[in-house]
Amino acid sequence: MSQVIDQALSQLNQVVLGKETQLKMALACLLAKGHLLIEDLPGMGKTTLSHALASALSLQYNRIQFTSDLLPADILGVSIFEKEPGTELGRFRFHPGPVFSQLLLADEINRATPKAQSALLEAMEEGQVTVEGETRALPDPFFVIATQNPVSQSGTFPLPESQLDRFLMRIQLGYPHEKAERELLEGKDRRAMANNLAGVISHEQLSQLQQQVNQVQTSSSVLDYIQRIIAFTRYEGGYQYGLSPRGSLALLRSAKAWALIHGRSHMVPEDIQAVLPAVVDHRLADAADGGAHSVSQQILNTVPVLV
């Protein structure tokens, strides 16, 4: 299975240049059955990354452009009364919204009102939606990639903590380095390349990889390290609130997926350290005085790997 992971990453790296770590994070997030939040300036390749990931993993793809006038029904779907031809009889028929897809890109999610943002909460947590009193299951796998602009930009509605916690990871892409940007300027259209990528991981293989994440072995010393991190955020770091049980499980699952991507069947402390910023910073950013990136850095500098 490590071979298909390498093939997928190789294809993705041909489209999204110079972002190997971020691509691995995105794939690890999917394998851990989580959802991904990408926060960055417009035009950094967030949409291209989601297109490429859907193509390489043979996933059905939908995109929603979040705007201030977006309604929950625009996301979930709506029932419309349809008359039978030639009669006055008819019935309500449900028309599924774009949320019924395997990979959903929620583009600029923080430009929609909180009411529209909350329409994704049940979908992300339960893998189902309830519309007009009826519960409907979403496809499997169901993976949300949401992008958001910095909250300092005009026309944004910050995501509440409850919604941020639904995202297993948050990453930033950042500007490309000089060599990658030169290749972008001289090369082909990356969006077209993303759409034309051949699928290298089938649905069956993806399901097997997600199951293998749960089988990654964890030693007692590694679990001790995770618990020291959890205790530090709750009692010693000086934050207003610490990492929740859901957050601690997110850290464990993400580290297991990171280990699997690197061809190992067991976790090491470096796996935890690699995913820590993506898993922890957005959960505790408001609880830290030093900003969104100070939490993980303080943990890495303070919590010992071994005692």
Side-chain angles (χ1 to χ4, degrees):
M1 279 298 184
S2 60
Q3 184 177 358
V4 296
I5 292 176
D6 292 341
Q7 289 175 353
L9 288 172
S10 176
Q11 288 215 13
L12 293 171
N13 279 304
Q14 294 176 19
V15 177
V16 185
L17 300 175
K19 303 298 177 185
E20 183 177 357
T21 299
Q22 290 90 332
L23 289 171
K24 286 182 178 180
M25 285 291 177
L27 185 56
C29 189
L30 174 57
L31 295 184
K33 297 185 177 181
H35 303 287
L36 180 66
L37 179 64
I38 307 177
E39 184 180 59
D40 220 321
L41 295 169
M44 291 294 188
K46 302 184 293 291
T47 304
T48 302
L49 184 151
S50 63
H51 268 134
L53 196 62
S55 298
L57 273 63
S58 309
L59 298 176
Q60 179 196 0
Y61 174 83
N62 274 333
R63 174 181 177 272
I64 305 174
Q65 178 62 53
F66 277 65
T67 57
S68 58
D69 60 348
L70 190 75
L71 298 175
D74 298 326
I75 301 171
L76 306 179
V78 65
S79 293
I80 299 176
F81 185 79
E82 297 181 349
K83 292 177 63 176
E84 296 180 7
T87 70
E88 294 298 322
L89 301 176
R91 62 185 180 89
F92 282 94
R93 180 168 176 248
F94 179 70
H95 291 258
V99 74
F100 287 87
S101 61
Q102 293 175 320
L103 193 156
L104 175 68
L105 173 62
D107 209 3
E108 297 184 308
I109 189 173
N110 61 335
R111 291 201 178 276
T113 61
K115 184 176 182 180
Q117 293 174 6
S118 65
L120 279 178
L121 284 176
E122 182 186 10
M124 293 171 62
E125 186 67 18
E126 306 293 341
Q128 63 184 28
V129 297
T130 303
V131 183
E132 298 167 352
E134 185 175 346
T135 300
R136 295 176 170 87
L138 293 170
D140 183 28
F142 176 66
F143 182 45
V144 174
I145 298 180
T147 71
Q148 70 171 2
N149 299 319
V151 294
S152 59
Q153 293 195 345
S154 60
T156 60
F157 298 85
L159 294 175
E161 290 82 358
S162 60
Q163 180 121 353
L164 280 173
D165 199 44
R166 261 66 175 186
F167 290 99
L168 185 73
M169 295 184 183
R170 183 188 68 177
I171 63 173
Q172 295 84 33
L173 295 181
Y175 293 115
H177 55 72
E178 184 177 354
K179 181 179 178 181
E181 188 143 34
R182 185 57 176 258
E183 192 171 344
L184 282 172
L185 294 172
E186 295 179 342
K188 300 178 182 178
D189 178 42
R190 317 320 286 189
R191 188 70 60 85
M193 291 178 65
N195 291 334
N196 294 327
L197 280 183
V200 295
I201 297 181
S202 66
H203 293 171
E204 182 181 354
Q205 289 173 324
L206 179 57
S207 178
Q208 291 175 0
L209 287 169
Q210 289 177 329
Q211 292 174 11
Q212 287 182 19
V213 169
N214 296 326
Q215 297 169 3
V216 172
Q217 298 178 1
T218 308
S219 67
S220 59
S221 61
V222 171
L223 289 178
D224 288 342
Y225 182 41
I226 293 177
Q227 287 198 288
R228 284 195 293 274
I229 290 174
I230 296 167
F232 178 81
T233 66
R234 294 176 183 174
Y235 311 117
E236 303 171 29
Y239 311 127
Q240 296 177 7
Y241 48 86
L243 205 60
S244 68
R246 176 160 53 191
S248 60
L249 289 172
L251 180 59
L252 177 63
R253 292 204 318 272
S254 300
K256 285 185 173 183
W258 189 261
L260 182 67
I261 284 177
H262 289 84
R264 284 182 279 103
S265 60
H266 64 280
M267 276 175 53
V268 295
E270 286 77 8
D271 297 322
I272 300 167
Q273 295 168 346
V275 302
L276 190 69
V279 175
V280 170
D281 283 340
H282 67 287
R283 289 180 163 86
L284 301 182
D286 292 338
D289 296 330
H293 302 289
S294 66
V295 178
S296 59
Q297 194 58 53
Q298 185 181 15
I299 292 171
L300 292 173
N301 292 339
T302 307
V303 179
V305 176
L306 298 172
V307 293

